[in-house]
Amino acid sequence: MALSRMPSESNVLFRSPLVEPYIISASNYGLRCTSAVASSADPPPATSSTSVAIAEGTLLLRERPVLGWPRGSYSTDLLVPRLLVKHREALRRSQEDPPTSSLTTLFPRNVAAEVPAGRAAQITDTYVAGVIARVLELESANDPEPAIDRLAAALSLSDPSPVAAGRAPPSLPPPTRDDVLWATFVLDFNSFPSGLNLFLSLVNHSCDPNCKVVEDDPSPSPPASTTSNRDPETARAPTYTLFALRPIAPGAPLSISYLDLDRDVSLAADRRRYLEEHYLFFCTCTACGTRSDADPTSGEPPRGEDYLCGGCGSGRVDAVAGGPCDTCGATMSAREMEKREDRVFAIVRRTRVLVERVVAAVGRLEDERGKEEGKAEEEEEDAGQGGGRVRFAARAETAVEELARLVPELEALGVAAEAVVYSKAPHRHVLFRPIDFCVAEGREALAKHGRGEVRAVGAARRSKKANKPIKAKREG
């Protein structure tokens, strides 16, 4: 069912005709691939099909945030008042009865019904009072009402200036605690790293997403079209672009990951726990499966966490039931399952450590090379001062050496995982995405900074690493 009320498209720079919002449930909206596309005013030929799938790599949506902030500076104390001011301004200018705002399409639409009471109770009265005071302060500073109208209101005159009549929207009472709770949770559940987007916030989560969001670089200064914007941080916010990662069938929902799958290494139980705590839903995507934590034998197991069959060496074995293998029909004993589970947990933990170290080493290398280049430019203007450049070059070389050691080690760990977990598409184990991503990122950084000859893991090393045990206890 399509939405009866569409989100505002005032900040949408591009939306493909292949994308439409729709209602999933009373409290959940989404975006999906439309089943019919009208690309022009003329009707399509009788021989053409109106069912069009989205191709891999298709640009689906580009949007500028309705509220923006510098990356890394997210603060509800600062952002909630700004959001409420925008929301209240929309209500004041609304021509509908009762007044509406496009922000009401975002989750939660009803805090009392959709947010656990315990979580709402954590919002303190001090925080609420501070937000309300800040909202009134911002509205007073931005008040477009002419001074003559304010004077007339203060003197209780019934006939304000006819010049100003109809110019200023009606005033609203001060925001309430419910208003503050709503705005706080809208930001908590819908924000991207640097902004709040109306359309992109409708895209739901999957641990095996069919789309990806890319954040473009923010504008160094507000675009000309936004010079009248009273919120310069939003004007400078980056744009967000939605792409298809693989073909999407007509009518299929669009999904992104609310988790950083390229760098976070986590199994279904951990992902579900995090998503339920932070986003209030229990994930039943194809990677997590449909079984419940209360009854692990119910429903489908996580398809993205199956084991490689120890018998035939090529089939997939259910990581919950222990079989049968989908190739040879073999099953695994309870003891074999326990050993395999221990091995997987050990690889997961080691992968987390190496991924974190590779990411940190790449960051340090880029930082030190940037400082080295900057110092070189300074020294060209001030000959005879070479110590700073040498120092930064030495630090960069240290980062290169560390990265040259870590990348093959992470790649070897991926080889070891291939002997334990099922790694063939379309149910490739969740371990391989962060491993592949970080190996590629590390090798790209090494090639960029003069160490492209770092060798890949050889066949003999692959075999040795695959059979070498990793000493680690299974997490409880």
Side-chain angles (χ1 to χ4, degrees):
M1 181 169 57
L3 291 182
S4 57
R5 175 176 174 77
M6 294 281 288
S8 169
E9 295 200 42
S10 59
N11 286 58
V12 173
L13 306 177
F14 170 80
R15 178 162 72 96
S16 167
L18 296 169
V19 174
E20 67 175 1
Y22 73 110
I23 296 175
I24 300 173
S25 66
S27 61
N28 192 13
Y29 297 172
L31 290 185
R32 65 185 176 191
C33 174
T34 184
S35 58
V37 178
S39 58
S40 69
D42 299 327
T47 56
S48 70
S49 172
T50 57
S51 293
V52 180
I54 295 175
E56 179 181 350
T58 301
L59 168 62
L60 302 175
L61 183 70
R62 179 172 287 130
E63 182 176 12
R64 182 179 294 117
V66 68
L67 181 71
W69 53 86
R71 179 183 275 268
S73 64
Y74 180 90
S75 168
T76 53
D77 290 336
L78 301 176
L79 295 175
V80 169
R82 289 171 54 197
L83 180 64
L84 272 174
V85 168
K86 286 181 177 291
H87 174 62
R88 287 163 58 82
E89 180 71 8
L91 292 178
R92 294 173 66 205
R93 297 186 179 279
S94 173
Q95 301 298 315
E96 300 180 32
D97 187 20
T100 59
S101 161
S102 59
L103 291 165
T104 56
T105 59
L106 299 179
F107 177 87
R109 282 160 286 282
N110 185 326
V111 172
E114 298 168 3
V115 178
R119 183 157 180 172
Q122 294 175 4
I123 306 297
T124 66
D125 292 340
T126 302
Y127 165 78
V128 171
V131 169
I132 293 175
R134 181 58 178 159
V135 168
L136 296 178
E137 180 184 347
L138 291 173
E139 289 184 337
S140 176
N142 295 334
D143 188 0
E145 186 178 13
I148 191 170
D149 277 2
R150 293 199 297 271
L151 177 61
L155 297 176
S156 300
L157 300 178
S158 59
D159 186 19
S161 166
V163 176
R167 183 187 302 170
S171 60
L172 293 173
T176 65
R177 178 180 176 85
D178 288 344
D179 295 329
V180 175
L181 291 179
W182 169 82
T184 301
F185 292 129
V186 162
L187 279 171
D188 281 351
F189 298 142
N190 298 281
S191 292
F192 287 81
S194 300
L196 177 68
N197 300 278
L198 294 182
F199 256 85
L200 279 175
S201 294
L202 298 180
V203 185
N204 286 297
H205 166 84
S206 172
C207 300
D208 183 25
N210 55 25
C211 295
K212 181 177 183 178
V213 175
V214 176
E215 179 184 289
D216 300 329
D217 291 333
S219 303
S221 59
S225 60
T226 60
T227 52
S228 62
N229 195 321
R230 297 175 187 157
D231 191 346
E233 287 189 4
T234 296
R236 286 192 294 266
T239 56
Y240 285 83
T241 306
L242 183 71
F243 290 96
L245 290 176
R246 58 176 180 266
I248 304 173
L254 308 185
S255 60
I256 59 176
S257 176
Y258 297 176
L259 311 171
D260 187 354
L261 298 177
D262 289 333
R263 295 184 179 182
D264 292 341
V265 187
S266 56
L267 300 180
D270 295 324
R271 296 196 304 271
R272 282 174 158 171
R273 190 178 303 113
Y274 179 89
L275 292 167
E276 196 162 21
E277 177 182 347
H278 289 82
Y279 296 101
L280 309 183
F281 68 87
F282 185 83
C283 188
T284 57
C285 71
T286 54
C288 288
T290 59
R291 75 176 193 271
S292 69
D293 288 341
D295 182 9
T297 62
S298 66
E300 289 293 323
R303 295 291 83 188
E305 297 182 8
D306 284 335
Y307 298 153
L308 183 70
C309 177
C312 65
S314 61
R316 184 177 71 230
V317 173
D318 186 328
V320 176
C325 169
D326 65 357
T327 300
C328 69
T331 59
M332 299 176 74
S333 68
R335 177 58 181 161
E336 289 174 319
M337 288 285 291
E338 184 177 352
K339 291 173 63 177
R340 187 65 59 95
E341 188 176 7
D342 286 344
R343 177 72 171 156
V344 169
F345 275 116
I347 294 175
V348 166
R349 282 197 297 273
R350 184 59 182 163
T351 301
R352 286 172 178 164
V353 171
L354 289 179
V355 164
E356 184 176 340
R357 289 180 179 175
V358 168
V359 170
V362 169
R364 283 196 299 272
L365 176 56
E366 296 289 349
D367 186 48
E368 296 301 335
R369 285 300 191 208
K371 290 178 181 177
E372 179 187 356
E373 293 170 1
K375 198 65 177 177
E377 293 177 359
E378 291 179 13
E379 290 167 0
E380 287 179 2
E381 300 175 359
D382 187 12
Q385 299 293 325
R389 181 180 179 184
V390 172
R391 183 172 64 254
F392 291 133
R395 291 177 183 173
E397 186 59 28
T398 299
V400 167
E401 294 292 341
E402 182 182 15
L403 201 55
R405 174 179 59 80
L406 289 172
V407 168
E409 186 177 353
L410 183 58
E411 190 176 28
L413 191 62
V415 174
E418 289 178 345
V420 180
V421 298
Y422 188 79
S423 61
K424 298 179 179 62
H427 301 300
R428 199 161 184 245
H429 198 279
V430 293
L431 274 169
F432 292 100
R433 180 161 175 168
I435 289 176
D436 292 347
F437 178 83
C438 287
V439 165
E441 189 177 57
R443 290 195 174 279
E444 181 181 352
L446 289 170
K448 178 180 177 182
H449 298 290
R451 191 62 73 87
E453 73 276 8
V454 176
R455 67 184 180 89
V457 181
R461 186 174 181 180
R462 288 174 186 268
S463 175
K464 182 179 179 181
K465 280 285 185 180
N467 296 317
K468 183 179 180 180
I470 297 179
K471 296 181 180 180
K473 294 183 179 180
R474 178 165 58 92
E475 293 176 347

